[in-house]
Every structure is written in structure tokens, then in C-alpha cells.
Amino acid sequence: MPSANEDIVPLGSSLRTKPVAISAADSVKKVDEEWEEDVPIEYLAEHSRGLPWHMLIPAGLVGVILFSVLVSLLFQTKEQPVSGGTSLVEASAPVVEEEVLSEMSDEERQARVKTYLNELVQSSSIAELESIVRPVPDLREKLENYYESHELNFKEVESVNQLLPVTSMEGVYLCSSVSEDGWHGLSVIFQRGNQFLLDWESFVAYCDVDWDKIKEVFPKEPITVRAVRSRSEYYNHGFDSETYQSFELMRNDSDTRFYAYVRRGSVAYSRLLPVGVSEIGIEMTLRVRYPEDAVGKNQLLIEEVVSDSWVVDYKKESYEN
């Protein structure tokens, strides 16, 4: 079961016509100037005394015909047996009525999410868990990788205190819950139709290589990690402040920390230093690796910012340097 730190979930992410040739004013002007040309002469001559006889007779015949057709349809459709043919509804695409959380009361939505979270407790295998969490690329591989060194054990939820919409992602909610033993957890819940899905990656703060084993594995190829980044001014072993900006990467559930460097002026640099929040810790999903000529095991290169939080919006392309 993830520790309390791994349950810290961000409030947002990054869970991202042709012009009309004639203006409306021109159209109105054209109608005002030419409307008389489209009106029958008979109407212009007789508009104060009704239609002339030669127009009234055809109009009356049309009215009688329409009335007869309407009466006929009413009698034919009354208590008509169902046809064995294909109806228009059957021929069209099936209509799926999706339940929208905003239309529920707070109590109802929290009760439904609580029920879902307690379904996770019943998962006894990776296959079962895979079928009820948010589907993401390579999910089975990630689950197997993570649970090689972690226990598959979710806590029974006693109550869901809050379910707040994540404004940057449609149908995504930040859930605050309390377990039966008093453990407070945060999780990100996706709603798809009437189904609720846990964002498992952010819930466990998933990394391609276990956070505490990165120094041991010493990857020279980029790996994905979820960490809290804070601005730093530590430069050593070939990293200088002219070329790079230094950051400290940490996790609240671990004593393992890294100094990570990004090239100044790169796309990743601008995303790592958003205006107004450069000095605070921010949860981010990053692609990092060791330099080819690495000297220390606590210094990494930041190759890419995958997400501005621990939730990844896979519908959007990642940003590369």
C-alpha cells in the first residue's frame, strides 16, 4: 500500500472555422435592398385586402390535401403493431447516456466514489486491479514492475470527505478519503460515463525504476519519475550555472534526493520554472537520466517534462527539449 506521501496528488495537470466571407451586416443590408424583388406582384398589389382569387384557390387545395394526409397518418399510426423491420433508431448509432457528476448531490457522488474505492480492496491480483483502474499505456507492465517490491493492499475507506473537480482536465476529480484506521488519503478519480477509475500512477507516484533503486540501477537512458522539484543553486562535477539550472528532486516517503539539471532556455527549463512559483516544491513527472560521464550518483540530467503534476494527460503530446 502506498505511503502517505505517495498519495499527494496535484490539483491540476499538465488529469488538453474558417472565417465567414460575408458579414452579418452585409447580409441584412442585402435583404433590405432586395426584399421587394422576391415578393409576388399580386401580394404587393393586394396586401391590404387579402390574396387574389387566382392565388387563393391553389392555396386552399394545398391546405385540404395536407389536412387529409394528417388525418390519414393519425388513423394509421393508432395502435399500429410493431413492424419487424429496422427502425430509424435501430439503424443509427446506439445512444449512451453518460451520468454527469455535477448533476448529482454531494452526498450521492461521494457515496458512489466510496463504493468504487472499496472495490479496489477486493483486488487480489494484478489482472483484477488492471481492469478497474484508469487505463494508461503499458499499464500491465507498470503494475507488474511496481508490485515486484510492493504489496497489493488497498485500505477500506470509511468516508469520502471531498470530491473536487480538477479544472484543467474534464471529468477528473481530486478525492479526499479516510480509511477505517484513520489513514487520510488523496487520490485522483477519472469519470468515464458512469464508471469511476483511480489514476493508479499518481496514487503510488509511479517511477520506471523504484525511487530508492535509481542510484543502484544507474540508468544512462531516460526513465520516467514522479518527484517533488525545488529550485536549487548547487553546481558541481561539470554542471555550471551559465549552462544549467539546478533543481532538487525528492520524495516525502524517502530520504533519497537528487540534484537534477536542465539546460537554460530549453522548453523543459520554462516548464520547470513557471512564473510566480519558482521557489516552491511542485510535484512533476519527469524524464531523467545520468550523464554519460557521470561522476556522482546524486546528479541527474532532466531530459523532458512529461507533466506539470503526477497526473499525465495522455491525450496531449509531451514536451521535449
Side-chain angles (χ1 to χ4, degrees):
M1 181 64 215
S3 66
N5 316 322
E6 293 178 301
D7 302 322
I8 298 176
V9 182
L11 289 173
S13 83
S14 234
L15 185 68
R16 346 209 180 242
T17 43
K18 297 182 179 179
V20 179
I22 301 175
S23 68
D26 292 337
S27 300
V28 172
K29 182 178 179 182
K30 180 177 177 63
V31 171
D32 287 341
E33 292 175 348
E34 301 178 1
W35 72 273
E36 290 186 347
E37 297 178 8
D38 299 326
V39 181
I41 297 174
E42 292 87 346
Y43 182 80
L44 291 175
E46 303 288 343
H47 67 277
S48 62
R49 294 170 296 171
L51 290 173
W53 285 106
H54 71 277
M55 292 184 64
L56 183 59
I57 293 173
L61 289 175
V62 172
V64 171
I65 292 172
L66 290 175
F67 180 77
S68 300
V69 172
L70 178 60
V71 172
S72 175
L73 287 174
L74 288 173
F75 277 99
Q76 288 178 6
T77 55
K78 185 177 181 180
E79 298 182 357
Q80 187 76 6
V82 178
S83 170
T86 303
S87 68
L88 292 177
V89 174
E90 293 170 341
S92 64
V95 178
V96 179
E97 294 183 1
E98 295 190 352
E99 294 175 308
V100 182
L101 279 179
S102 60
E103 295 179 355
M104 300 180 185
S105 67
D106 291 343
E107 293 77 10
E108 183 179 0
R109 76 176 66 168
Q110 290 174 7
R112 295 193 59 170
V113 171
K114 175 187 172 183
T115 299
Y116 164 72
L117 292 176
N118 284 328
E119 289 177 6
L120 296 172
V121 180
Q122 307 304 318
S123 302
S124 58
S125 68
I126 289 176
E128 289 180 0
L129 182 59
E130 181 184 18
S131 67
I132 58 174
V133 298
R134 179 195 178 198
V136 298
D138 304 316
L139 177 59
R140 172 60 72 93
E141 181 182 338
K142 292 173 180 177
L143 290 169
E144 291 176 347
N145 181 34
Y146 180 80
Y147 288 111
E148 278 185 3
S149 55
H150 297 81
E151 185 180 358
L152 180 57
N153 181 23
F154 288 85
K155 292 180 178 291
E156 189 84 25
V157 173
E158 177 68 25
S159 64
V160 172
N161 296 333
Q162 284 186 315
L163 196 63
L164 303 175
V166 175
T167 56
S168 59
M169 298 180 73
E170 184 179 1
V172 184
Y173 299 86
L174 180 64
C175 175
S176 171
S177 61
V178 181
S179 67
E180 291 184 335
D181 59 2
W183 177 78
H184 291 256
L186 289 176
S187 57
V188 172
I189 303 294
F190 279 66
Q191 185 193 8
R192 294 295 176 260
N194 60 357
Q195 186 178 22
F196 298 97
L197 302 168
L198 172 72
D199 184 59
W200 174 84
E201 288 182 305
S202 63
F203 185 71
V204 301
Y206 178 78
C207 299
D208 288 343
V209 175
D210 189 272
W211 182 256
D212 290 322
K213 294 181 179 179
I214 292 177
K215 292 180 180 180
E216 176 185 336
V217 176
F218 208 65
K220 297 292 184 68
E221 294 296 324
I223 61 171
T224 299
V225 299
R226 285 173 170 81
V228 176
R229 78 100 187 104
S230 297
R231 187 174 180 175
S232 171
E233 295 301 329
Y234 175 80
Y235 299 93
N236 202 352
H237 301 305
F239 292 101
D240 61 84
S241 59
E242 250 183 68
T243 309
Y244 298 96
Q245 173 61 55
S246 172
F247 293 91
E248 189 173 8
L249 303 183
M250 64 195 77
R251 292 269 291 264
N252 294 333
D253 61 330
S254 172
D255 292 330
T256 300
R257 298 190 175 199
F258 296 93
Y259 289 103
Y261 301 88
V262 64
R263 285 190 175 274
R264 293 183 182 274
S266 65
V267 174
Y269 172 79
S270 63
R271 295 188 71 195
L272 282 158
L273 284 175
V275 177
V277 290
S278 60
E279 300 299 331
I280 65 174
I282 300 176
E283 294 168 345
M284 284 190 162
T285 305
L286 308 169
R287 297 278 289 170
V288 301
R289 68 176 177 86
Y290 280 99
E292 290 297 330
D293 56 351
V295 177
K297 286 196 173 185
N298 68 333
Q299 289 179 287
L300 299 169
L301 276 171
I302 299 175
E303 294 284 350
E304 180 185 351
V305 176
V306 179
S307 174
D308 299 321
S309 72
W310 286 357
V311 180
V312 176
D313 186 351
Y314 288 100
K315 294 182 293 185
K316 296 182 179 180
E317 296 182 0
S318 60
Y319 296 81
E320 298 182 353
N321 292 322

